[in-house]
Amino acid sequence: MVIKVENLVKTYKSGVRALDGLTFQVRDGEIFGLLGPNGSGKTTSINCILSLLKYEEGKVEIFGKEMTPTSYDIKKDIGIITQNVAVYDELTVYENIDFFCSLYVNDKSERKRLVEEVIDFVALNDYKKFVPKKLSGGLLRRLHIACGIVHKPKLIILDEPTVAVDPQSRNKILEGIKQLNKEGATIIYTSHYMEEVEMICDYILIMDKGKTIAEGTKEELKDSIKLGETIEIELKEPNQSLIEEVSKLERVIDASYKDNTLIVKSLKGKSNVGDILNLIQVHNLEYDRIYSELPTLNDVFLEITGKELRD
Amino acid sequence: MHLFKTRMLTLFRNKIVIFWSLIFPIVLSTFYSLAFSNLNTTTIFDTISIAVVDSEEMNQVLLGFLEEAKFDEEKNMFKVNLKSEKEAKDLLEDNKVVGVISTNQDSVTLMVNNSGLNQTIVKTFLDEYLQTTTAVMDIVVLSGSNPEDIINELYSNTSYIDDGSNEYSAINMLLIMYFSVIGMALIYGGFWGTDNILNLQANMSTKGIRVAVSPVNRIKIILIFTACAFLIHFGIISIVLLYMRFILGVEFGDKTLYILLVCVLGSLTGITFGSFVAISLKKASEGVKIMTTVLVGVVGGFLSGMMVVDMKYIIQTKAPILQYINPVGVITDSLHSLNYFGATSRFFTNIGILCVMIIAFTIGTYLFYRRDSYESI
């Protein structure tokens, strides 16, 4: 195990209980996703794991040793990438990476090699002498990531690294994370974007109000809920009697309109698409598009908590 | 070593901090030089008109000193008006004299209507007189010597009035302004201390989180950062001093090493003050922290005579405690006393106060900084 968190309890002075008995483990070489809505306790968990925050109860072990603020032997193998960019405006791209590398590596030639490698990795070769202010948002984010991984840590913690990042840069970041994982790093990835977590994580823990509400692989999580399929059909005109008949179909658990779109949720099993289309024809209704979607992590969250991930 | 070099580079390129520490004092002192360059010769050397109450019990020795005291070889320090008590008070009421002195053989009373440089000069003169006479009486009691001989000896040695070394014969208002600018610039070392803390504390910046998660010892890194801040700030202050000395032609006297000592301690006071402000006002925004340092610099400078020279004397007479807790005031007074009195006890008292401030701010900063984990981030 790379990380072992047991029964973590953290209450802020305001009285808000941010972590309420959180327990989980991260295995060597996996990409571990910590998914939850804003305020669910993801960042607090990370800060407690890193001993940046005090907590009342619980235990954190990293690489088999208890993590404390002075566990320098553990810290040398950790890389942190925070939600907000952490670079010096006064230093160039190269100098920034070199500075943060020097917190871990004393040898000058070794440092130079690592800095060059990471600049290659994040494709900032053409911007080495640029100061952060001259970089676009995406490039700045790449610099931020480079500063966190330059020392080739065994454990990389990314706390919502794609917030306010354009889609193109986001994809590059996600690809980079997968690449780092392939090269042997264990990754903890926190996000409230379920698509990202679903795309890159091997194991996912969904949390809310400081507690684990579900965990497993994405397949295990989706299998754990009743929902099997969500069908959406864009109708020219909604029809109330159609809804009543659709609701009576086998395995249908909910049917409703959102504007002119009929939304039907069904249990696992045979798809209801054919039956619903038949009913639409019987009512002589016109329709545009049909979507059939398998359960998402949002559905998992919704079914367990009764609210959307992005509420 | 690399951390040290890069931190030096970072601070060196911090334009805002460089502006406040280097450019602002240079611009301000240049402005003073252009606007007030003849202040020292126009205002200060006027003879001060005082009234002495004429009575049978009048202290003739003091009267003699008052009449003979001189700013320089040609100009008397006081114009003494011997008047009855009522006439003297009327003159004071009409602002025709700055003070009324009533004396007898045992005591001296000074009555003034308001505070100011002239009133302070009279008061300090009388204080000096009383201290001297007390010392003379002690010597007489212990040694049985002739009081007149001792007084003559004392005054021939101290050259209180004539040798140009006393406070009032050489007071230069412009110099006080320059000193307060230096004091302010030294306290603006607080920006460097604030910047250090902001970059090291995980509950204040994401860069601080990076440092906190790294394997570098926290004490080691704050010492490196503080050393960098001190070296650059002291270098900047040296440039300000050189500019004042060689471009503006300010005469600091021949006590360069003592001036450097004040600058070293002043710089450390500024840096540790800024660190303490940043770390203790943990919930305040970066802007509030910086504004606190700016306010202490500007208000402290004002109270030390940076804008109105009389303010320094008003504080000395009305609220002397402010003189001791205002770091700009302590620095200004260090330079001021060094220039006029030399390295006397007043100078070393100020040096001691600066040392106490540095120690207090350092301990305060350490008490907050040593916490490795935070309650909230």
Side-chain angles (χ1 to χ4, degrees):
Chain A
M1 286 298 159
V2 171
I3 293 183
K4 201 171 167 186
V5 174
E6 279 178 22
N7 196 32
L8 220 50
V9 176
K10 165 70 187 173
T11 310
Y12 287 111
K13 277 184 179 167
S14 60
V16 173
R17 179 159 280 210
L19 297 179
D20 194 3
L22 187 70
T23 299
F24 65 87
Q25 296 180 342
V26 181
R27 282 174 287 270
D28 191 13
E30 78 180 357
I31 303 181
F32 182 91
L34 210 49
L35 180 67
N38 290 328
S40 59
K42 302 184 295 294
T43 301
T44 302
S45 310
I46 297 301
N47 288 335
C48 287
I49 289 169
L50 293 171
S51 274
L52 293 171
L53 273 182
K54 289 176 185 167
Y55 44 89
E56 297 94 85
E57 288 175 39
K59 192 176 166 190
V60 176
E61 278 184 12
I62 301 181
F63 304 128
K65 296 174 197 166
E66 190 180 354
M67 180 65 176
T68 66
T70 52
S71 299
Y72 298 128
D73 56 332
I74 298 175
K75 287 182 172 183
K76 70 181 170 52
D77 289 319
I78 299 176
I80 174 84
I81 291 148
T82 52
Q83 187 174 330
N84 296 320
V85 172
V87 295
Y88 284 97
D89 292 337
E90 299 85 1
L91 300 178
T92 64
V93 165
Y94 189 97
E95 287 164 348
N96 260 300
I97 300 172
D98 194 28
F99 173 77
F100 287 111
C101 190
S102 70
L103 294 172
Y104 298 83
V105 181
N106 285 324
D107 184 74
K108 195 177 174 183
S109 56
E110 170 71 355
R111 207 168 54 237
K112 190 177 179 200
R113 184 183 66 76
L114 289 169
V115 173
E116 293 289 353
E117 270 183 31
V118 84
I119 285 176
D120 261 349
F121 182 79
V122 295
L124 282 174
N125 303 64
D126 296 336
Y127 305 95
K128 280 183 194 175
K129 291 186 177 173
F130 281 50
V131 288
K133 275 183 189 166
K134 301 274 179 189
L135 300 177
S136 67
L139 292 173
L140 188 62
R141 190 61 67 161
R142 280 194 245 166
L143 168 62
H144 175 56
I145 290 173
C147 292
I149 61 171
V150 60
H151 58 290
K152 292 208 180 292
K154 291 178 190 163
L155 170 65
I156 302 171
I157 298 173
L158 299 108
D159 188 11
E160 310 234 20
T162 56
V163 169
V165 171
D166 61 274
Q168 196 187 354
S169 296
R170 177 179 295 193
N171 287 338
K172 283 199 171 174
I173 289 169
L174 296 178
E175 281 167 23
I177 292 166
K178 281 198 221 168
Q179 184 60 34
L180 287 167
N181 180 244
K182 272 185 197 163
E183 290 172 10
T186 303
I187 313 271
I188 297 185
Y189 188 89
T190 83
S191 180
H192 63 275
Y193 295 128
M194 58 176 180
E195 304 87 354
E196 291 181 1
V197 172
E198 210 170 328
M199 195 189 301
I200 66 165
C201 293
D202 305 316
Y203 194 88
I204 299 159
L205 183 148
I206 303 177
M207 64 186 298
D208 188 39
K209 294 179 181 170
K211 289 180 183 170
T212 303
I213 58 166
E215 63 178 304
T217 63
K218 60 187 168 194
E219 293 79 14
E220 286 169 347
L221 287 168
K222 287 172 187 177
D223 281 348
S224 70
I225 59 171
K226 292 185 291 181
L227 183 70
E229 183 185 29
T230 302
I231 298 162
E232 292 185 15
I233 302 173
E234 289 177 9
L235 296 169
K236 292 282 182 196
E237 246 180 77
N239 180 303
Q240 197 52 42
S241 59
L242 175 68
I243 283 235
E244 286 163 14
E245 289 177 40
V246 168
S247 298
K248 288 174 189 164
L249 290 173
E250 203 181 348
R251 290 183 302 283
V252 169
I253 49 178
D254 185 52
S256 61
Y257 281 115
K258 188 178 179 185
D259 298 327
N260 285 358
T261 303
L262 173 67
I263 302 171
V264 183
K265 297 191 178 222
S266 312
L267 295 172
K268 291 184 180 73
K270 182 177 162 282
S271 173
N272 276 325
V273 174
D275 295 335
I276 295 169
L277 288 177
N278 283 339
L279 285 173
I280 287 171
Q281 277 183 336
V282 168
H283 284 84
N284 204 21
L285 296 170
E286 285 185 56
Y287 61 91
D288 285 334
R289 293 190 180 88
I290 303 171
Y291 306 93
S292 171
E293 198 178 58
L294 295 172
T296 63
L297 292 176
N298 189 45
D299 294 317
V300 177
F301 191 80
L302 182 64
E303 196 165 309
I304 298 171
T305 67
K307 60 185 182 183
E308 301 269 347
L309 255 172
R310 291 179 197 173
D311 273 356
Chain B
M1 193 59 198
H2 186 75
L3 284 176
F4 180 84
K5 274 165 58 183
T6 315
R7 183 62 188 161
M8 289 289 276
L9 195 63
T10 310
L11 293 178
F12 194 66
R13 289 182 188 163
N14 190 328
K15 287 176 189 153
I16 295 172
V17 179
I18 294 279
F19 170 81
W20 283 105
S21 305
L22 177 66
I23 309 299
F24 185 59
I26 283 180
V27 169
L28 200 57
S29 55
T30 306
F31 168 76
Y32 284 157
S33 172
L34 296 173
F36 306 118
S37 56
N38 58 354
L39 255 183
N40 56 328
T41 54
T42 55
T43 358
I44 290 304
F45 288 97
D46 285 345
T47 296
I48 302 165
S49 195
I50 55 170
V52 175
V53 177
D54 191 5
S55 70
E56 285 180 5
E57 292 182 325
M58 187 170 60
N59 184 333
Q60 292 294 339
V61 178
L62 173 61
L63 183 64
F65 280 126
L66 288 169
E67 285 173 339
E68 288 176 25
K70 290 180 186 300
F71 277 125
D72 54 35
E73 285 182 4
E74 293 174 358
K75 182 164 278 184
N76 281 335
M77 192 178 279
F78 303 113
K79 178 174 183 254
V80 179
N81 301 282
L82 265 177
K83 300 286 179 187
S84 68
E85 188 170 351
K86 186 180 178 307
E87 287 170 334
K89 283 181 179 172
D90 287 344
L91 287 175
L92 184 65
E93 198 78 4
D94 297 339
N95 286 326
K96 291 188 174 157
V97 292
V98 299
V100 174
I101 298 171
S102 311
T103 70
N104 57 40
Q105 295 307 318
D106 299 324
S107 66
V108 178
T109 311
L110 172 66
M111 191 189 303
V112 293
N113 260 356
N114 45 42
S115 296
L117 180 58
N118 287 339
Q119 285 81 354
T120 307
I121 291 174
V122 179
K123 183 181 179 303
T124 309
F125 183 92
L126 293 175
D127 288 345
E128 290 281 331
Y129 169 79
L130 289 172
Q131 280 173 20
T132 308
T133 48
T134 306
V136 168
M137 291 318 292
D138 287 346
I139 294 168
V140 168
V141 169
L142 289 171
S143 67
S145 307
N146 183 344
E148 201 173 328
D149 294 344
I150 297 168
I151 288 173
N152 288 336
E153 179 68 16
L154 273 172
Y155 279 89
S156 66
N157 280 346
T158 55
S159 300
Y160 182 77
I161 294 164
D162 293 332
D163 73 353
S165 69
N166 85 72
E167 182 168 11
Y168 309 111
S169 64
I171 277 183
N172 180 332
M173 294 176 89
L174 190 54
L175 206 49
I176 293 176
M177 289 177 163
Y178 288 133
F179 288 155
S180 57
V181 169
I182 294 169
M184 182 197 68
L186 284 166
I187 290 310
Y188 281 169
F191 295 129
W192 306 82
T194 300
D195 192 65
N196 279 351
I197 293 298
L198 291 177
N199 283 298
L200 291 177
Q201 286 291 90
N203 59 345
M204 292 181 191
S205 72
T206 43
K207 281 175 274 186
I209 290 178
R210 278 232 162 101
V211 173
V213 174
S214 79
V216 176
N217 184 291
R218 281 168 60 72
I219 299 296
K220 179 184 161 189
I221 199 161
I222 197 173
L223 287 177
I224 290 173
F225 274 39
T226 305
C228 292
F230 169 71
L231 285 176
I232 294 198
H233 187 236
F234 184 68
I236 281 173
I237 292 299
S238 301
I239 293 171
V240 173
L241 287 177
L242 289 171
Y243 177 82
M244 285 183 174
R245 175 67 190 86
F246 293 106
I247 307 293
L248 302 183
V250 179
E251 285 293 343
F252 288 119
D254 57 354
K255 298 177 181 68
T256 313
L257 282 178
Y258 286 117
I259 291 173
L260 289 178
L261 175 66
V262 174
C263 290
V264 165
L265 294 177
S267 176
L268 286 173
T269 305
I271 291 166
T272 53
F273 168 73
S275 301
F276 180 71
V277 165
I279 208 162
S280 57
L281 302 177
K282 55 186 173 183
K283 291 200 174 159
S285 67
E286 186 178 340
V288 170
K289 289 170 184 177
I290 289 172
M291 195 46 71
T292 305
T293 304
V294 171
L295 273 180
V296 169
V298 172
V299 175
F302 172 73
L303 295 177
S304 314
M306 189 165 72
M307 294 88 172
V308 182
V309 173
D310 272 2
M311 187 54 71
K312 177 173 167 55
Y313 298 99
I314 292 170
I315 294 298
Q316 269 178 5
T317 51
K318 297 281 185 190
I321 186 70
L322 271 180
Q323 172 70 26
Y324 296 114
I325 60 170
N326 169 18
V328 182
V330 177
I331 293 166
T332 305
D333 199 58
S334 302
L335 296 168
H336 178 75
S337 60
L338 184 65
N339 194 60
Y340 295 121
F341 305 115
T344 58
S345 59
R346 180 167 163 181
F347 171 76
F348 286 110
T349 301
N350 285 319
I351 292 295
I353 292 170
L354 287 179
C355 289
V356 168
M357 284 181 176
I358 293 166
I359 291 166
F361 291 140
T362 304
I363 290 172
T365 304
Y366 174 74
L367 290 176
F368 284 100
Y369 185 76
R370 68 182 172 150
R371 295 174 194 167
D372 291 309
S373 295
Y374 305 91
E375 287 296 338
S376 61
I377 287 182

